[in-house]
Amino acid sequence: MKYVIGNWKSNQNLTESLIWLDGLQSIKPHFSPDASVILCLPFTDIAGFNHKLSDLEMPIVTGAQNVSHLAPGKHTGEITANMLAELVSFCIVGHSERRREFAETSEMVAEKARQLLENSITPIVCLDLPYLDEQIKELFQKNVDVSRCYFVYEPISAIGTGHPQDPVEANHVANQISFLIDNQAPILYGGSVTAENVKSFVDQNRIDGVLVGADSLEPTLFAGIINSLS
Ligand code: PEP
């Protein structure tokens, strides 16, 4: 199975997200049974987007982009895994933007993954070389079942720059991650993926799919990536 995961980040309100869905529907991408398409949305879009997705019967699964590391309780404004469980099957944790802008630590990310798994949501754990070992160690320390997670190697130099990493080098790091988690989970690559370069990544022996930021925002570009995998 191959995976395409879109990450909209803090873009698109609910109205815009529904227009995006109409746009994708009119393009009619070819959804291959061998490729799973997951779209990670802003919290505020998820419920309405899910509703329209089921009306259109489009084979896309939704995810969130963040979750609280805390259990339900007195934490004003936090969105817990228990709340997300009614809405999504996946959730990104540990994106480098959250580490940089919100001082998220590997320990917090591991706690988020634990909260998600307790609520039957698959964590999509983002990794880069400077904290790769530390992050995986934290997951084991918090007894996170890594076989129930997805992992994404996202070199910061490639995120949003238009300069993807060399696919062979990315595969090398994917193998490193695979070794550390005992080869138990899907490993994806993220960073400036486009319809033109996606095949060069998923054709690598240890890269199971891609995480796509900028090119998931335009239905035509995202459809191009989906079609490249079919
Ligand atoms: C990302 O931020 O997760 C990402 C992969 O972004 P982009 O595709 O825009 O490089």
Side-chain angles (χ1 to χ4, degrees):
M1 178 60 79
K2 296 292 179 192
Y3 303 89
V4 179
I5 304 180
N7 173 18
W8 279 2
K9 311 190 183 187
S10 297
N11 294 294
Q12 321 257 56
N13 61 23
L14 175 59
T15 306
E16 290 162 339
S17 79
L18 301 182
I19 293 170
W20 182 97
L21 205 42
D22 282 333
L24 194 70
Q25 164 82 351
S26 67
I27 297 164
K28 295 193 185 359
H30 180 253
F31 289 97
S32 157
D34 302 325
S36 171
V37 181
I38 299 158
L39 194 60
C40 296
L41 305 163
F43 293 133
T44 46
D45 296 359
I46 299 171
F49 192 92
N50 280 346
H51 191 74
K52 183 153 178 159
L53 255 188
S54 69
D55 281 353
L56 295 175
E57 296 181 6
M58 205 183 271
I60 293 181
V61 179
T62 53
Q65 302 167 15
N66 184 33
V67 65
S68 179
H69 59 292
L70 302 168
K74 296 175 182 173
H75 317 297
T76 303
E78 286 291 88
I79 301 289
T80 65
N82 170 62
M83 296 168 190
L84 288 180
E86 293 188 328
L87 297 170
V88 297
S89 309
F90 293 87
C91 181
I92 295 172
V93 289
H95 194 284
S96 57
E97 287 159 8
R98 295 205 59 85
R99 285 179 176 268
R100 191 177 64 237
E101 295 175 19
F102 304 99
E104 280 192 5
T105 62
S106 295
E107 192 186 352
M108 282 165 75
V109 172
E111 192 53 46
K112 287 171 187 234
R114 209 174 63 78
Q115 294 284 346
L116 290 169
L117 287 176
E118 276 178 8
N119 287 277
S120 302
I121 300 170
T122 301
I124 300 167
V125 183
C126 297
L127 298 168
D128 191 10
L129 282 173
Y131 46 83
L132 194 156
D133 290 313
E134 173 196 285
Q135 181 63 81
I136 291 177
K137 211 163 109 201
E138 279 294 342
L139 292 172
F140 282 118
Q141 237 156 39
K142 294 226 180 281
N143 291 321
V144 171
D145 180 354
V146 293
S147 72
R148 294 173 61 207
C149 298
Y150 290 9
F151 292 86
V152 191
Y153 168 48
E154 289 217 300
I156 290 170
S157 60
I159 296 179
T161 59
H163 300 295
Q165 190 163 39
D166 176 73
V168 175
E169 279 172 27
N171 191 54
H172 183 72
V173 180
N175 270 301
Q176 234 176 293
I177 297 169
S178 183
F179 174 76
L180 291 171
I181 60 164
D182 210 10
N183 202 21
Q184 296 186 67
I187 299 172
L188 287 69
Y189 163 81
S192 299
V193 171
T194 63
E196 287 70 41
N197 65 26
V198 62
K199 278 282 281 172
S200 66
F201 290 102
V202 298
D203 284 350
Q204 301 295 321
N205 71 350
R206 196 52 187 98
I207 296 181
D208 300 303
V210 289
L211 180 59
V212 185
D215 281 17
S216 66
L217 285 168
E218 266 297 320
T220 38
L221 299 179
F222 198 54
I225 291 172
I226 296 169
N227 286 335
S228 301
L229 292 191
S230 61

